[in-house]
PDB file of all heavy atoms in Angstrom:
ATOM      1  N   THR B   1       4.761  -4.749   7.924  1.00  0.00           N
ATOM      2  CA  THR B   1       5.127  -4.312   6.577  1.00  0.00           C
ATOM      3  C   THR B   1       5.796  -5.423   5.777  1.00  0.00           C
ATOM      4  O   THR B   1       6.437  -6.315   6.347  1.00  0.00           O
ATOM      5  CB  THR B   1       6.067  -3.098   6.631  1.00  0.00           C
ATOM      6  OG1 THR B   1       7.231  -3.440   7.390  1.00  0.00           O
ATOM      7  CG2 THR B   1       5.383  -1.906   7.267  1.00  0.00           C
ATOM      8  N   ASN B   2       5.642  -5.328   4.478  1.00  0.00           N
ATOM      9  CA  ASN B   2       6.313  -6.239   3.552  1.00  0.00           C
ATOM     10  C   ASN B   2       6.754  -5.432   2.343  1.00  0.00           C
ATOM     11  O   ASN B   2       6.074  -4.475   1.948  1.00  0.00           O
ATOM     12  CB  ASN B   2       5.375  -7.358   3.100  1.00  0.00           C
ATOM     13  CG  ASN B   2       5.001  -8.282   4.229  1.00  0.00           C
ATOM     14  OD1 ASN B   2       5.798  -9.098   4.659  1.00  0.00           O
ATOM     15  ND2 ASN B   2       3.796  -8.135   4.734  1.00  0.00           N
ATOM     16  N   TYR B   3       7.867  -5.832   1.744  1.00  0.00           N
ATOM     17  CA  TYR B   3       8.437  -5.081   0.632  1.00  0.00           C
ATOM     18  C   TYR B   3       8.836  -5.986  -0.517  1.00  0.00           C
ATOM     19  O   TYR B   3       9.221  -7.142  -0.315  1.00  0.00           O
ATOM     20  CB  TYR B   3       9.682  -4.310   1.104  1.00  0.00           C
ATOM     21  CG  TYR B   3       9.401  -3.289   2.168  1.00  0.00           C
ATOM     22  CD1 TYR B   3       9.515  -3.629   3.517  1.00  0.00           C
ATOM     23  CD2 TYR B   3       8.997  -2.008   1.842  1.00  0.00           C
ATOM     24  CE1 TYR B   3       9.235  -2.697   4.508  1.00  0.00           C
ATOM     25  CE2 TYR B   3       8.713  -1.066   2.827  1.00  0.00           C
ATOM     26  CZ  TYR B   3       8.835  -1.430   4.160  1.00  0.00           C
ATOM     27  OH  TYR B   3       8.547  -0.503   5.144  1.00  0.00           O
ATOM     28  N   HIS B   4       8.755  -5.431  -1.713  1.00  0.00           N
ATOM     29  CA  HIS B   4       9.326  -6.093  -2.873  1.00  0.00           C
ATOM     30  C   HIS B   4      10.827  -6.229  -2.630  1.00  0.00           C
ATOM     31  O   HIS B   4      11.460  -5.333  -2.063  1.00  0.00           O
ATOM     32  CB  HIS B   4       9.045  -5.239  -4.119  1.00  0.00           C
ATOM     33  CG  HIS B   4       9.374  -5.899  -5.409  1.00  0.00           C
ATOM     34  ND1 HIS B   4      10.663  -6.141  -5.826  1.00  0.00           N
ATOM     35  CD2 HIS B   4       8.573  -6.366  -6.407  1.00  0.00           C
ATOM     36  CE1 HIS B   4      10.654  -6.727  -7.001  1.00  0.00           C
ATOM     37  NE2 HIS B   4       9.386  -6.873  -7.378  1.00  0.00           N
ATOM     38  N   ASP B   5      11.370  -7.330  -3.089  1.00  0.00           N
ATOM     39  CA  ASP B   5      12.800  -7.582  -2.863  1.00  0.00           C
ATOM     40  C   ASP B   5      13.668  -6.430  -3.387  1.00  0.00           C
ATOM     41  O   ASP B   5      14.708  -6.103  -2.805  1.00  0.00           O
ATOM     42  CB  ASP B   5      13.227  -8.880  -3.548  1.00  0.00           C
ATOM     43  CG  ASP B   5      12.734 -10.112  -2.813  1.00  0.00           C
ATOM     44  OD1 ASP B   5      12.285  -9.971  -1.657  1.00  0.00           O
ATOM     45  OD2 ASP B   5      12.805 -11.209  -3.392  1.00  0.00           O
ATOM     46  N   ASP B   6      13.253  -5.821  -4.489  1.00  0.00           N
ATOM     47  CA  ASP B   6      14.073  -4.786  -5.118  1.00  0.00           C
ATOM     48  C   ASP B   6      14.144  -3.495  -4.305  1.00  0.00           C
ATOM     49  O   ASP B   6      15.009  -2.650  -4.551  1.00  0.00           O
ATOM     50  CB  ASP B   6      13.548  -4.461  -6.517  1.00  0.00           C
ATOM     51  CG  ASP B   6      13.768  -5.592  -7.504  1.00  0.00           C
ATOM     52  OD1 ASP B   6      14.506  -6.539  -7.166  1.00  0.00           O
ATOM     53  OD2 ASP B   6      13.184  -5.536  -8.606  1.00  0.00           O
ATOM     54  N   VAL B   7      13.230  -3.309  -3.344  1.00  0.00           N
ATOM     55  CA  VAL B   7      13.222  -2.059  -2.576  1.00  0.00           C
ATOM     56  C   VAL B   7      13.490  -2.287  -1.100  1.00  0.00           C
ATOM     57  O   VAL B   7      13.598  -1.325  -0.329  1.00  0.00           O
ATOM     58  CB  VAL B   7      11.894  -1.292  -2.750  1.00  0.00           C
ATOM     59  CG1 VAL B   7      11.568  -1.118  -4.232  1.00  0.00           C
ATOM     60  CG2 VAL B   7      10.748  -1.964  -2.021  1.00  0.00           C
ATOM     61  N   GLU B   8      13.583  -3.541  -0.702  1.00  0.00           N
ATOM     62  CA  GLU B   8      13.843  -3.868   0.703  1.00  0.00           C
ATOM     63  C   GLU B   8      15.093  -3.140   1.187  1.00  0.00           C
ATOM     64  O   GLU B   8      16.136  -3.166   0.544  1.00  0.00           O
ATOM     65  CB  GLU B   8      14.034  -5.386   0.836  1.00  0.00           C
ATOM     66  CG  GLU B   8      14.290  -5.858   2.257  1.00  0.00           C
ATOM     67  CD  GLU B   8      13.023  -5.993   3.068  1.00  0.00           C
ATOM     68  OE1 GLU B   8      12.089  -6.637   2.588  1.00  0.00           O
ATOM     69  OE2 GLU B   8      12.987  -5.462   4.190  1.00  0.00           O
ATOM     70  N   GLY B   9      14.957  -2.458   2.318  1.00  0.00           N
ATOM     71  CA  GLY B   9      16.096  -1.741   2.880  1.00  0.00           C
ATOM     72  C   GLY B   9      16.256  -0.317   2.367  1.00  0.00           C
ATOM     73  O   GLY B   9      17.028   0.463   2.929  1.00  0.00           O
ATOM     74  N   ARG B  10      15.541   0.024   1.325  1.00  0.00           N
ATOM     75  CA  ARG B  10      15.622   1.393   0.765  1.00  0.00           C
ATOM     76  C   ARG B  10      14.324   2.164   0.960  1.00  0.00           C
ATOM     77  O   ARG B  10      14.352   3.389   1.117  1.00  0.00           O
ATOM     78  CB  ARG B  10      15.954   1.328  -0.730  1.00  0.00           C
ATOM     79  CG  ARG B  10      17.269   0.662  -1.052  1.00  0.00           C
ATOM     80  CD  ARG B  10      17.625   0.821  -2.536  1.00  0.00           C
ATOM     81  NE  ARG B  10      16.675   0.168  -3.425  1.00  0.00           N
ATOM     82  CZ  ARG B  10      15.978   0.793  -4.371  1.00  0.00           C
ATOM     83  NH1 ARG B  10      16.126   2.105  -4.553  1.00  0.00           N
ATOM     84  NH2 ARG B  10      15.145   0.117  -5.140  1.00  0.00           N
ATOM     85  N   PHE B  11      13.203   1.472   0.899  1.00  0.00           N
ATOM     86  CA  PHE B  11      11.891   2.105   1.007  1.00  0.00           C
ATOM     87  C   PHE B  11      11.269   1.749   2.352  1.00  0.00           C
ATOM     88  O   PHE B  11      11.476   0.648   2.876  1.00  0.00           O
ATOM     89  CB  PHE B  11      10.958   1.607  -0.099  1.00  0.00           C
ATOM     90  CG  PHE B  11      11.295   2.075  -1.492  1.00  0.00           C
ATOM     91  CD1 PHE B  11      12.491   2.715  -1.783  1.00  0.00           C
ATOM     92  CD2 PHE B  11      10.394   1.870  -2.528  1.00  0.00           C
ATOM     93  CE1 PHE B  11      12.799   3.125  -3.070  1.00  0.00           C
ATOM     94  CE2 PHE B  11      10.669   2.280  -3.821  1.00  0.00           C
ATOM     95  CZ  PHE B  11      11.865   2.899  -4.091  1.00  0.00           C
ATOM     96  N   THR B  12      10.469   2.681   2.867  1.00  0.00           N
ATOM     97  CA  THR B  12       9.733   2.452   4.113  1.00  0.00           C
ATOM     98  C   THR B  12       8.304   2.924   3.946  1.00  0.00           C
ATOM     99  O   THR B  12       8.072   4.086   3.603  1.00  0.00           O
ATOM    100  CB  THR B  12      10.383   3.196   5.286  1.00  0.00           C
ATOM    101  OG1 THR B  12      11.751   2.785   5.429  1.00  0.00           O
ATOM    102  CG2 THR B  12       9.637   2.891   6.580  1.00  0.00           C
ATOM    103  N   ILE B  13       7.364   2.027   4.197  1.00  0.00           N
ATOM    104  CA  ILE B  13       5.943   2.385   4.148  1.00  0.00           C
ATOM    105  C   ILE B  13       5.461   2.652   5.566  1.00  0.00           C
ATOM    106  O   ILE B  13       5.887   1.978   6.520  1.00  0.00           O
ATOM    107  CB  ILE B  13       5.119   1.263   3.470  1.00  0.00           C
ATOM    108  CG1 ILE B  13       3.677   1.714   3.244  1.00  0.00           C
ATOM    109  CG2 ILE B  13       5.194  -0.036   4.262  1.00  0.00           C
ATOM    110  CD1 ILE B  13       2.857   0.733   2.399  1.00  0.00           C
ATOM    111  N   SER B  14       4.585   3.638   5.698  1.00  0.00           N
ATOM    112  CA  SER B  14       4.017   3.954   7.007  1.00  0.00           C
ATOM    113  C   SER B  14       2.596   4.444   6.810  1.00  0.00           C
ATOM    114  O   SER B  14       2.212   4.844   5.705  1.00  0.00           O
ATOM    115  CB  SER B  14       4.869   5.004   7.726  1.00  0.00           C
ATOM    116  OG  SER B  14       4.921   6.201   6.976  1.00  0.00           O
ATOM    117  N   ARG B  15       1.834   4.437   7.881  1.00  0.00           N
ATOM    118  CA  ARG B  15       0.447   4.896   7.794  1.00  0.00           C
ATOM    119  C   ARG B  15       0.117   5.749   8.995  1.00  0.00           C
ATOM    120  O   ARG B  15       0.689   5.562  10.090  1.00  0.00           O
ATOM    121  CB  ARG B  15      -0.502   3.705   7.682  1.00  0.00           C
ATOM    122  CG  ARG B  15      -0.566   2.818   8.898  1.00  0.00           C
ATOM    123  CD  ARG B  15      -1.414   1.556   8.608  1.00  0.00           C
ATOM    124  NE  ARG B  15      -2.794   1.906   8.291  1.00  0.00           N
ATOM    125  CZ  ARG B  15      -3.616   1.095   7.611  1.00  0.00           C
ATOM    126  NH1 ARG B  15      -3.189  -0.091   7.182  1.00  0.00           N
ATOM    127  NH2 ARG B  15      -4.857   1.478   7.371  1.00  0.00           N
ATOM    128  N   ASN B  16      -0.827   6.658   8.802  1.00  0.00           N
ATOM    129  CA  ASN B  16      -1.337   7.506   9.880  1.00  0.00           C
ATOM    130  C   ASN B  16      -2.851   7.382   9.848  1.00  0.00           C
ATOM    131  O   ASN B  16      -3.522   8.007   9.016  1.00  0.00           O
ATOM    132  CB  ASN B  16      -0.883   8.953   9.674  1.00  0.00           C
ATOM    133  CG  ASN B  16      -1.290   9.857  10.818  1.00  0.00           C
ATOM    134  OD1 ASN B  16      -2.334   9.679  11.439  1.00  0.00           O
ATOM    135  ND2 ASN B  16      -0.461  10.844  11.099  1.00  0.00           N
ATOM    136  N   ASN B  17      -3.389   6.573  10.728  1.00  0.00           N
ATOM    137  CA  ASN B  17      -4.831   6.332  10.718  1.00  0.00           C
ATOM    138  C   ASN B  17      -5.629   7.560  11.150  1.00  0.00           C
ATOM    139  O   ASN B  17      -6.782   7.708  10.765  1.00  0.00           O
ATOM    140  CB  ASN B  17      -5.167   5.144  11.612  1.00  0.00           C
ATOM    141  CG  ASN B  17      -4.698   3.826  11.027  1.00  0.00           C
ATOM    142  OD1 ASN B  17      -4.472   3.713   9.820  1.00  0.00           O
ATOM    143  ND2 ASN B  17      -4.533   2.829  11.884  1.00  0.00           N
ATOM    144  N   ALA B  18      -5.031   8.421  11.927  1.00  0.00           N
ATOM    145  CA  ALA B  18      -5.729   9.636  12.359  1.00  0.00           C
ATOM    146  C   ALA B  18      -5.931  10.603  11.195  1.00  0.00           C
ATOM    147  O   ALA B  18      -6.904  11.367  11.173  1.00  0.00           O
ATOM    148  CB  ALA B  18      -4.950  10.314  13.468  1.00  0.00           C
ATOM    149  N   GLU B  19      -4.992  10.557  10.227  1.00  0.00           N
ATOM    150  CA  GLU B  19      -5.071  11.470   9.090  1.00  0.00           C
ATOM    151  C   GLU B  19      -5.483  10.769   7.802  1.00  0.00           C
ATOM    152  O   GLU B  19      -5.575  11.397   6.754  1.00  0.00           O
ATOM    153  CB  GLU B  19      -3.728  12.173   8.900  1.00  0.00           C
ATOM    154  CG  GLU B  19      -3.345  13.071  10.068  1.00  0.00           C
ATOM    155  CD  GLU B  19      -2.058  13.839   9.818  1.00  0.00           C
ATOM    156  OE1 GLU B  19      -1.405  13.603   8.780  1.00  0.00           O
ATOM    157  OE2 GLU B  19      -1.699  14.669  10.677  1.00  0.00           O
ATOM    158  N   ASN B  20      -5.718   9.467   7.886  1.00  0.00           N
ATOM    159  CA  ASN B  20      -6.096   8.684   6.697  1.00  0.00           C
ATOM    160  C   ASN B  20      -5.067   8.805   5.576  1.00  0.00           C
ATOM    161  O   ASN B  20      -5.408   9.048   4.410  1.00  0.00           O
ATOM    162  CB  ASN B  20      -7.471   9.097   6.170  1.00  0.00           C
ATOM    163  CG  ASN B  20      -8.606   8.623   7.065  1.00  0.00           C
ATOM    164  OD1 ASN B  20      -8.366   8.011   8.114  1.00  0.00           O
ATOM    165  ND2 ASN B  20      -9.833   8.933   6.687  1.00  0.00           N
ATOM    166  N   THR B  21      -3.803   8.675   5.943  1.00  0.00           N
ATOM    167  CA  THR B  21      -2.741   8.769   4.944  1.00  0.00           C
ATOM    168  C   THR B  21      -1.793   7.580   5.042  1.00  0.00           C
ATOM    169  O   THR B  21      -1.621   6.978   6.109  1.00  0.00           O
ATOM    170  CB  THR B  21      -1.920  10.056   5.110  1.00  0.00           C
ATOM    171  OG1 THR B  21      -1.373  10.101   6.431  1.00  0.00           O
ATOM    172  CG2 THR B  21      -2.768  11.292   4.868  1.00  0.00           C
ATOM    173  N   VAL B  22      -1.199   7.265   3.913  1.00  0.00           N
ATOM    174  CA  VAL B  22      -0.147   6.259   3.859  1.00  0.00           C
ATOM    175  C   VAL B  22       1.013   6.870   3.083  1.00  0.00           C
ATOM    176  O   VAL B  22       0.802   7.545   2.070  1.00  0.00           O
ATOM    177  CB  VAL B  22      -0.640   4.940   3.228  1.00  0.00           C
ATOM    178  CG1 VAL B  22      -1.183   5.145   1.846  1.00  0.00           C
ATOM    179  CG2 VAL B  22       0.460   3.894   3.233  1.00  0.00           C
ATOM    180  N   ALA B  23       2.204   6.693   3.580  1.00  0.00           N
ATOM    181  CA  ALA B  23       3.387   7.310   2.986  1.00  0.00           C
ATOM    182  C   ALA B  23       4.385   6.256   2.539  1.00  0.00           C
ATOM    183  O   ALA B  23       4.366   5.115   3.015  1.00  0.00           O
ATOM    184  CB  ALA B  23       4.042   8.253   3.986  1.00  0.00           C
ATOM    185  N   LEU B  24       5.244   6.661   1.610  1.00  0.00           N
ATOM    186  CA  LEU B  24       6.324   5.800   1.162  1.00  0.00           C
ATOM    187  C   LEU B  24       7.594   6.641   1.119  1.00  0.00           C
ATOM    188  O   LEU B  24       7.720   7.533   0.271  1.00  0.00           O
ATOM    189  CB  LEU B  24       6.047   5.208  -0.213  1.00  0.00           C
ATOM    190  CG  LEU B  24       7.066   4.187  -0.702  1.00  0.00           C
ATOM    191  CD1 LEU B  24       7.003   2.913   0.147  1.00  0.00           C
ATOM    192  CD2 LEU B  24       6.840   3.845  -2.177  1.00  0.00           C
TER     193      LEU B  24
END
C-alpha cells in the first residue's frame, strides 16, 4: 500500500479478491 501524505496514518486501503472489492 501507498498513501498520500495528507492521509497517511488515518486512512487504510484494503482489497478482497474473492469478492472483487476494494475498501477505504
Side-chain angles (χ1 to χ4, degrees):
T1 58
N2 294 285
Y3 298 93
H4 190 289
D5 286 347
D6 291 349
V7 308
E8 181 81 51
R10 300 188 297 121
F11 290 11
T12 303
I13 188 172
S14 61
R15 66 187 298 158
N16 185 327
N17 290 339
E19 296 184 355
N20 287 2
T21 57
V22 57
L24 186 68

